[in-house]
Structure formats: C-alpha cells, structure tokens
C-alpha cells in the first residue's frame, strides 16, 4: 500500500497538521497516529469536500450521512487496538476511511452499510488505496454479520438507543466493542467487553454525536431515513 496512491503531495502537509490536532485532543498512541499519516482521507470523500479532508471535523458524504471526526476515530482505534491476527466487524462503512484504518491494523475487516451507494463508493476508494482484507456488505448492521462471527473487535459508527443484542452475541470471548449509546441527539461512548459468559459495559470518554443507527435492533428506518 502506498502512502499516497494518487501521488497527490498537496495533502501531505495538511495530514501532518491533522495528526497534531489528534494529538492535541489526547490520543498519543504512536501506532495509531502513524496510521493517520499513511491513509489519505481525501480519496474516501466526495470530490466537492476533498479540500476539507484533513480538518478534524465530521464531513458530509451524501445520503444524509457524515464521515466521522478523525480524532474520534483515532480515540476508537487507541482503545480497541485490533491486532494483525484479529477479525473486526464494522457497522456503518460510510465513506470507508475507518475501514481502511482498521484493515491496516487487523487481519480482516467485515463492514456493513445500509446505504448501497455509500458502500459502492467505499469499495472503489478501498480498491484505489489497495486494501485487500476488507469485505463489505449492504444490509442492516444491527443484526451483525453472522456468517463470519465471532469477531474480536466490533466498531459501531452510528448512534444506538441500546447495545444491539445480536452484536453482543457475535463478539468473541475476549472481544471488545465500542458503540455510541444514548438519544438521537447525544450519546456516550460505551465499551462492551466479553469474557466467557460475562459481558461488561463501561462508559468511556465524554459525550458524542453520531448519525442514528437505523435498523431492527436500533431506531426504525422510517423515522429518520
Ligand atoms: N465510519 C464512517 C461513519 C459513517 S456515519 C465514516 O467515517 O465514514 C455512519 C454510517 O452508518 C452511515 O453511513 C449510515 O448509513 C450507516 N448506518 C446507519 N444505520 C446502519 C445500519 N443499521 N447498518 C449499517 N449501516 C448503518
């Protein structure tokens, strides 16, 4: 994988600045920071917003969805720390940027997105970046992806009223999951861990605001699609 597959050096300086911002927000895990230097966020975004790719902000990607704020994604990664022999399930592929970051850390990434067009675009960007270990599915991620379960790490990038039961079931022994839980307006990041038959839930970090998780075990699709 090249560090900038499009040979576009215009963005290199901006990327360094983004990494400084992520550090300033409290993530100082070196391995995580290096990943943000290696994955070009702009190729995952629609053309019109590419110049904003290295702002530490959520960016609109169409279909009422947003690419999450990079420092928040860095925080996710620094807590979950998937390793090169682990399987990851991601719910909410969106633009595919976090998918690419996860794919560089883990053995394989399985990512579910409900909006077909977003999944298609993410596939294109992942292919352009040379990611070979990510499988994408269009569907309702609140029911997980049973075929490839159990997963060592589950990353949910959309807000849920509670922790979907199917996802807990598909978590491996020793596995961990991060999911924003709360109302449609505001959520708390929740870390779920499984050890044998014991499942623990812990709030980590402050309040966050994600787009809603729409599906069978979250909010109904009609209300917010
Ligand atoms: N990590 C992504 C986040 C995108 S926002 C990025 O940085 O681009 C969250 C995504 O979750 C949206 O694309 C939305 O369509 C998707 N989503 C919402 N409910 C879902 C569900 N039940 N299953 C799969 N994806 C869902």
């Amino acid at each position: 994988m090249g560090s900038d597959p499009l040979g576009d050096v215009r963005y290199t300086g901006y990327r360094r600045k983004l990494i400084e911002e992520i550090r300033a927000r409290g993530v100082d895990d070196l391995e995580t920071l290096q990943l943000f230097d290696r994955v070009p966020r702009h190729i995952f975004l629609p053309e019109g917003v590419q110049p904003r790719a290295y702002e530490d902000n959520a960016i609109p990607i169409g279909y009422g969805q947003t690419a999450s704020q990079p420092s928040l994604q860095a925080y996710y990664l620094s807590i979950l720390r998937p390793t090169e022999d682990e399987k990851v399930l991601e719910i909410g592929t969106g633009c595919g940027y976090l998918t690419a970051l996860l794919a560089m850390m883990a053995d394989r990434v399985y990512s579910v997105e409900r909006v077909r067009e977003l999944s298609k675009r993410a596939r294109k960007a992942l292919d352009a970046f040379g990611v070979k270990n990510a499988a994408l599915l269009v569907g309702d991620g609140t029911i997980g992806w049973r075929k490839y379960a159990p997963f060592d790490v589950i990353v949910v990038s959309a807000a849920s009223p509670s922790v979907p039961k199917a996802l807990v079931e598909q978590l491996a022994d020793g596995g961990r999951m991060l999911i924003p839980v709360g109302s449609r307006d505001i959520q708390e990041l929740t870390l779920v861990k499984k050890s044998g038959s014991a499942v623990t839930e812990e709030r980590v970090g402050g309040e966050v605001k994600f787009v809603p998780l729409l599906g069978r075990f979250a909010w109904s699709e009609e209300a917010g699609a």
Side-chain angles (χ1 to χ4, degrees), residues 102-119:
L102 289 165
M104 295 186 77
M105 303 174 92
D107 177 39
R108 274 196 83 71
V109 181
Y110 299 87
S111 186
V112 187
E113 168 59 53
R114 62 182 283 277
V115 180
R116 181 174 303 275
E117 268 313 305
L118 289 177
S119 182

Side-chain angles (χ1 to χ4, degrees), residues 65-68 73 92 94-95 112-114 118 140-141 157 213-214:
Q65 307 303 326
T66 56
S68 311
Q73 294 179 323
C95 71
V112 187
E113 168 59 53
R114 62 182 283 277
L118 289 177
D140 177 6
S157 292
L213 185 67
L214 303 173

Side-chain angles (χ1 to χ4, degrees), residues 32-219:
T32 302
L33 293 171
Q34 276 169 348
L35 278 180
F36 281 80
D37 198 25
R38 289 168 63 195
V39 183
R41 190 177 187 229
H42 64 276
I43 70 164
F44 292 90
L45 297 179
E47 222 164 278
V49 292
Q50 283 187 359
R52 295 170 54 197
Y54 300 100
E55 292 172 9
D56 186 28
N57 285 321
I59 308 262
I61 54 174
Y63 308 91
Q65 307 303 326
T66 56
S68 311
Q69 186 178 9
S71 59
L72 192 52
Q73 294 179 323
Y75 185 62
Y76 261 63
L77 296 176
S78 69
I79 289 184
L80 293 170
R81 286 188 132 279
T83 58
E84 58 189 12
D85 58 348
E86 289 187 320
K87 253 190 332 187
V88 178
L89 174 67
E90 177 188 36
I91 308 302
T93 315
C95 71
Y97 176 61
L98 186 61
T99 320
L101 293 163
L102 289 165
M104 295 186 77
M105 303 174 92
D107 177 39
R108 274 196 83 71
V109 181
Y110 299 87
S111 186
V112 187
E113 168 59 53
R114 62 182 283 277
V115 180
R116 181 174 303 275
E117 268 313 305
L118 289 177
S119 182
K120 260 184 160 162
R121 273 206 239 141
R123 176 83 274 162
K124 271 196 193 152
L126 289 164
D127 287 347
F129 184 49
V131 172
K132 304 249 185 284
N133 57 339
L136 306 189
L137 176 74
V138 177
D140 177 6
T142 67
I143 59 173
W145 195 342
R146 196 167 299 280
K147 187 175 173 191
Y148 296 106
F151 302 97
D152 304 293
V153 168
I154 300 181
V155 183
V156 184
S157 292
S160 185
S162 61
V163 182
K165 175 169 107 265
L167 298 185
V168 178
E169 281 167 12
Q170 292 175 29
L171 200 56
D173 189 8
R176 56 251 183 241
M177 158 163 53
L178 263 183
I179 175 167
V181 176
S183 67
R184 272 181 180 254
D185 293 326
I186 200 89
Q187 308 92 35
E188 284 180 306
L189 270 191
T190 303
L191 177 64
V192 181
K193 283 186 184 162
K194 198 189 237 184
S195 175
S197 59
V199 177
T200 58
E201 276 186 32
E202 176 194 346
R203 310 275 172 251
V204 292
E207 291 182 327
V208 288
K209 182 167 174 50
F210 280 81
V211 296
L213 185 67
L214 303 173
R216 190 161 144 208
F217 293 109
W219 280 295

